[in-house]
Amino acid sequence: MSADIRLQPGEVLFREGDPPTTAFILDEGQVEIRATQRGRQVVLALLGPGAIIGEMAVIDAAPRTATAVALSACRLIALDRTQIAERIEGADPVIRALLQGTLQRYRSALAALQGGTAKASSVEVPDEAAGVGKMRHESQLRAALNVGGLDVRYQPLLHVAEGRIAGFEALVRWTNPERGPISPAEFVALAEETSLIVPVGEYVFDTACAAAREFIDAAGRPLFVAVNVSARQLREPGLLERVIARVDAAGLPRGSIKIEITESQAMNPVLMQGFIALCHGHGVKVALDDFGTGYSHLTQMHLLPFDTLKIDQGFVQNMLTDARSMAIVETIVAMAKSLDASIVVEGIESEAQLAVLKRLGCDYAQGWLVGKPQTRDELLTRAEDLFT
């Protein structure tokens, strides 16, 4: 079902007795809620923009106890049963208990109404603060994913010693139809709150494998594309097997796709040891992203044989003017080399910074000096210059 639903006046959204597969956010228009009482229709509520409709039946999987009819032209956003269940499951136990009590009172009040002991009354309408806005955005993100509405950009990585592009980092972007471009930090965090991050990740891997094939063909030499993997994706069974299947289907060498993992995920060394060993067994390299941003446990680094360390741009910005920042960068580079790991330095914006990387023997540079994130098509149109 599309997230965006439109009704004309008089159209029925759902009827009493219907199975409760979906709830709805009313974005525009007015909906009347009716129930049968002693053989006649009684109006329970008139709902306007911001209301959630039909959620109670979805929560307790009971047949619809009322009929919803559009009184004017309406636009609604569908909320899938899974979407609601995940929110409830992830809620504080006290909140779940309060919800259960509210649901029981709602059912009791409705039964009394249908027995003729209560008057028609209004139904409480949740506001934005109750999470309606977040659920609306989540539904819009689901819809974008279903129609290929997410955009994957590729930021080039320069091989410092060779002075040419060695690969790219895949970065997913989303333009919301109402709000415009959404910060990746915002919509990725939203996806990670539910299982939505899993299909988003699968979409990025699909797109990245197709792009890697075209980049390699255009360059006529080996290249790689690095893809970020979330903690929730790591917990999904068969993640790596699905990645390998995509790599093989695209006819790519195994090293063409690299997996990037953030420092916070490395806090679980047992999980990470097993995952990295599995990756290495399939010829896939693993990078530790955002190194030095606050989660590092150096006592665990010898347990986790990462192939690459990515130095966060926060250390790079001041290294030319601050001796302490330079000392930290030099120390991280020396440590990575002693661990036989390659080094990517992020946030390179000047030739002077690049010169420091050459002096230190860093492997890869990433940043606006090398190139901004661009679409696959944009990069391929300048392939002759990009890959020489």
Coordinates of all heavy atoms in Angstrom, one line a residue, residues 279-320:
C279 N 34.0 -12.0 7.1 CA 34.3 -11.1 5.9 C 35.6 -11.5 5.3 O 35.7 -11.7 4.0 CB 34.3 -9.6 6.3 SG 32.8 -8.9 6.7
H280 N 36.6 -11.7 6.1 CA 37.9 -12.1 5.5 C 37.9 -13.4 4.8 O 38.6 -13.7 3.8 CB 39.0 -12.1 6.7 CG 39.3 -10.7 7.1 ND1 40.1 -10.5 8.3 CD2 39.0 -9.5 6.6 CE1 40.2 -9.2 8.4 NE2 39.6 -8.6 7.5
G281 N 37.1 -14.3 5.4 CA 36.9 -15.6 4.7 C 36.3 -15.5 3.3 O 36.6 -16.4 2.5
H282 N 35.6 -14.5 3.1 CA 35.0 -14.2 1.8 C 35.7 -13.2 0.9 O 35.2 -12.8 -0.1 CB 33.5 -13.8 1.9 CG 32.6 -14.9 2.3 ND1 32.1 -15.8 1.5 CD2 32.0 -15.2 3.6 CE1 31.3 -16.7 2.1 NE2 31.2 -16.3 3.4
G283 N 36.9 -12.8 1.4 CA 37.7 -11.8 0.7 C 37.1 -10.4 0.7 O 37.4 -9.6 -0.2
V284 N 36.3 -10.1 1.8 CA 35.8 -8.7 1.9 C 36.5 -8.0 3.0 O 36.8 -8.5 4.1 CB 34.3 -8.8 2.3 CG1 33.7 -7.4 2.6 CG2 33.5 -9.4 1.1
K285 N 37.0 -6.8 2.7 CA 37.7 -6.0 3.7 C 36.8 -5.1 4.6 O 35.7 -4.7 4.1 CB 38.8 -5.1 3.0 CG 39.9 -5.9 2.4 CD 41.0 -5.1 1.8 CE 42.1 -5.9 1.2 NZ 43.2 -5.1 0.7
V286 N 37.2 -4.8 5.8 CA 36.4 -4.1 6.8 C 37.1 -2.9 7.3 O 38.3 -3.0 7.7 CB 36.0 -5.0 7.9 CG1 35.0 -4.2 8.9 CG2 35.3 -6.3 7.4
A287 N 36.5 -1.7 7.3 CA 37.1 -0.5 7.8 C 36.4 -0.1 9.1 O 35.2 -0.3 9.3 CB 36.9 0.6 6.8
L288 N 37.2 0.5 10.0 CA 36.6 1.1 11.2 C 36.5 2.6 11.0 O 37.5 3.3 10.8 CB 37.6 0.8 12.4 CG 37.1 1.4 13.8 CD1 35.8 0.8 14.2 CD2 38.2 1.2 14.8
D289 N 35.2 3.1 10.9 CA 34.9 4.4 10.6 C 35.0 5.3 11.8 O 34.8 4.9 13.0 CB 33.5 4.5 9.9 CG 33.3 5.8 9.2 OD1 34.3 6.6 9.0 OD2 32.2 6.0 8.7
D290 N 35.1 6.6 11.6 CA 35.1 7.6 12.7 C 36.1 7.4 13.8 O 35.7 7.6 15.0 CB 33.7 7.8 13.2 CG 32.7 8.2 12.2 OD1 33.1 8.9 11.2 OD2 31.5 7.9 12.3
F291 N 37.2 6.8 13.5 CA 38.1 6.5 14.5 C 38.6 7.7 15.3 O 38.9 8.8 14.8 CB 39.4 5.8 14.0 CG 40.3 5.3 15.1 CD1 40.1 4.2 15.8 CD2 41.5 6.1 15.4 CE1 40.9 3.7 16.8 CE2 42.3 5.6 16.4 CZ 42.1 4.5 17.1
G292 N 38.5 7.6 16.7 CA 39.0 8.7 17.5 C 37.9 9.6 17.9 O 38.1 10.7 18.5
T293 N 36.6 9.3 17.7 CA 35.5 10.2 18.1 C 34.9 9.9 19.4 O 33.8 10.4 19.7 CB 34.4 10.1 17.0 OG1 34.0 8.8 16.8 CG2 34.9 10.6 15.6
G294 N 35.5 9.1 20.2 CA 35.0 9.0 21.6 C 34.7 7.6 22.1 O 34.4 7.4 23.3
Y295 N 34.6 6.6 21.2 CA 34.3 5.3 21.6 C 35.5 4.3 21.7 O 35.3 3.2 22.0 CB 33.2 4.7 20.7 CG 31.9 5.4 20.7 CD1 31.6 6.4 19.8 CD2 31.0 5.2 21.7 CE1 30.4 7.1 19.8 CE2 29.8 5.8 21.8 CZ 29.5 6.8 20.8 OH 28.3 7.5 20.9
S296 N 36.6 4.8 21.3 CA 37.8 3.9 21.2 C 38.1 3.2 22.5 O 38.2 3.8 23.5 CB 39.0 4.7 20.7 OG 38.7 5.3 19.5
H297 N 38.4 1.9 22.4 CA 38.9 1.1 23.5 C 40.2 0.5 22.9 O 40.1 -0.6 22.3 CB 37.9 0.1 23.9 CG 36.9 0.7 24.9 ND1 36.8 0.3 26.2 CD2 35.9 1.6 24.6 CE1 35.7 1.0 26.7 NE2 35.2 1.8 25.8
L298 N 41.3 1.1 23.2 CA 42.5 0.6 22.6 C 42.9 -0.8 23.0 O 43.6 -1.5 22.3 CB 43.7 1.6 22.9 CG 43.5 3.0 22.3 CD1 44.7 3.9 22.7 CD2 43.3 3.0 20.8
T299 N 42.4 -1.1 24.2 CA 42.7 -2.5 24.7 C 42.0 -3.6 23.9 O 42.4 -4.7 24.0 CB 42.2 -2.6 26.2 OG1 40.8 -2.3 26.3 CG2 43.0 -1.7 27.1
Q300 N 41.0 -3.2 23.1 CA 40.3 -4.2 22.3 C 40.8 -4.2 20.8 O 40.5 -5.0 20.0 CB 38.8 -3.9 22.3 CG 38.2 -4.0 23.7 CD 36.7 -3.7 23.7 OE1 36.2 -3.2 22.7 NE2 36.1 -3.9 24.8
M301 N 41.7 -3.2 20.4 CA 42.0 -3.1 19.0 C 42.8 -4.3 18.5 O 42.6 -4.7 17.4 CB 42.9 -1.8 18.8 CG 42.1 -0.5 18.9 SD 40.8 -0.4 17.7 CE 41.7 -0.4 16.2
H302 N 43.6 -4.9 19.4 CA 44.3 -6.1 18.9 C 43.4 -7.3 18.7 O 43.8 -8.2 18.0 CB 45.4 -6.5 19.9 CG 44.9 -7.0 21.2 ND1 44.3 -6.3 22.2 CD2 44.9 -8.3 21.7 CE1 43.9 -7.0 23.2 NE2 44.2 -8.3 22.9
L303 N 42.2 -7.2 19.2 CA 41.2 -8.3 19.0 C 40.4 -8.2 17.7 O 39.8 -9.1 17.2 CB 40.2 -8.4 20.2 CG 40.8 -8.6 21.6 CD1 39.7 -8.5 22.6 CD2 41.5 -9.9 21.6
L304 N 40.5 -7.0 17.1 CA 39.6 -6.7 16.0 C 40.5 -6.3 14.8 O 41.0 -5.2 14.6 CB 38.7 -5.5 16.3 CG 37.8 -5.7 17.5 CD1 37.0 -4.5 17.8 CD2 36.9 -6.9 17.3
P305 N 40.8 -7.3 13.9 CA 41.7 -7.1 12.8 C 41.1 -6.3 11.6 O 40.9 -6.8 10.5 CB 42.1 -8.5 12.4 CG 40.8 -9.3 12.7 CD 40.3 -8.7 13.9
F306 N 40.8 -5.0 11.9 CA 40.3 -4.2 10.8 C 41.3 -4.0 9.7 O 42.5 -3.9 10.0 CB 39.9 -2.8 11.3 CG 38.6 -2.8 12.2 CD1 38.7 -2.8 13.6 CD2 37.4 -2.9 11.6 CE1 37.6 -2.8 14.3 CE2 36.3 -2.9 12.4 CZ 36.4 -2.9 13.8
D307 N 40.9 -3.9 8.5 CA 41.8 -3.7 7.4 C 42.2 -2.3 7.2 O 43.2 -1.9 6.6 CB 41.2 -4.2 6.1 CG 40.8 -5.7 6.2 OD1 41.7 -6.5 6.1 OD2 39.6 -6.0 6.3
T308 N 41.2 -1.4 7.6 CA 41.4 0.1 7.4 C 40.9 0.8 8.6 O 39.9 0.5 9.2 CB 40.6 0.5 6.2 OG1 41.0 -0.2 5.0 CG2 40.8 2.0 5.9
L309 N 41.6 1.9 9.0 CA 41.2 2.8 10.0 C 40.9 4.2 9.3 O 41.7 4.6 8.5 CB 42.2 3.1 11.1 CG 42.6 1.9 12.0 CD1 43.5 2.4 13.1 CD2 41.3 1.4 12.7
K310 N 39.7 4.7 9.6 CA 39.4 6.0 9.0 C 39.5 7.1 10.1 O 38.8 7.0 11.1 CB 38.0 6.0 8.4 CG 37.8 5.0 7.3 CD 36.4 5.2 6.6 CE 36.4 6.5 5.8 NZ 35.1 6.7 5.0
I311 N 40.4 8.0 9.9 CA 40.6 9.1 10.9 C 39.6 10.2 10.7 O 39.5 10.7 9.6 CB 42.1 9.7 10.8 CG1 43.1 8.5 11.0 CG2 42.3 10.8 11.8 CD1 44.5 9.0 10.8
D312 N 38.9 10.5 11.7 CA 37.8 11.5 11.7 C 38.3 12.8 11.3 O 39.4 13.2 11.7 CB 37.1 11.5 13.0 CG 35.8 12.4 12.9 OD1 34.8 12.0 12.3 OD2 35.9 13.6 13.5
Q313 N 37.5 13.6 10.5 CA 38.0 14.9 10.1 C 38.2 15.9 11.2 O 38.9 16.9 11.0 CB 37.0 15.5 9.1 CG 35.6 15.6 9.7 CD 34.6 16.1 8.6 OE1 35.0 16.8 7.6 NE2 33.3 15.8 8.8
G314 N 37.6 15.6 12.4 CA 37.8 16.6 13.5 C 39.3 16.7 13.9 O 39.7 17.8 14.3
F315 N 40.1 15.7 13.6 CA 41.5 15.8 14.0 C 42.3 16.6 12.9 O 43.4 17.1 13.1 CB 42.1 14.4 14.1 CG 41.6 13.7 15.3 CD1 40.7 12.6 15.1 CD2 41.9 14.0 16.6 CE1 40.2 11.9 16.2 CE2 41.3 13.3 17.7 CZ 40.5 12.3 17.5
V316 N 41.7 16.5 11.7 CA 42.5 17.1 10.5 C 42.3 18.6 10.4 O 43.2 19.3 10.0 CB 41.9 16.4 9.2 CG1 42.6 17.0 8.0 CG2 42.2 14.9 9.3
Q317 N 41.2 19.1 10.8 CA 40.9 20.5 10.6 C 41.9 21.4 11.3 O 42.2 22.5 10.8 CB 39.5 20.8 11.2 CG 38.4 20.2 10.4 CD 37.0 20.3 11.1 OE1 36.9 20.7 12.3 NE2 35.9 19.9 10.4
N318 N 42.5 21.0 12.4 CA 43.4 21.9 13.1 C 44.8 21.4 13.1 O 45.7 22.0 13.8 CB 43.0 22.0 14.6 CG 41.6 22.6 14.7 OD1 41.2 23.6 14.0 ND2 40.8 22.0 15.6
M319 N 45.1 20.4 12.3 CA 46.5 19.8 12.5 C 47.6 20.7 11.9 O 48.7 20.6 12.3 CB 46.5 18.4 11.8 CG 46.4 18.4 10.3 SD 46.5 16.7 9.6 CE 46.5 17.1 7.8
L320 N 47.3 21.6 11.0 CA 48.3 22.5 10.5 C 48.6 23.7 11.5 O 49.7 24.3 11.3 CB 47.8 23.1 9.2 CG 47.6 22.0 8.0 CD1 47.2 22.8 6.8 CD2 48.9 21.3 7.8

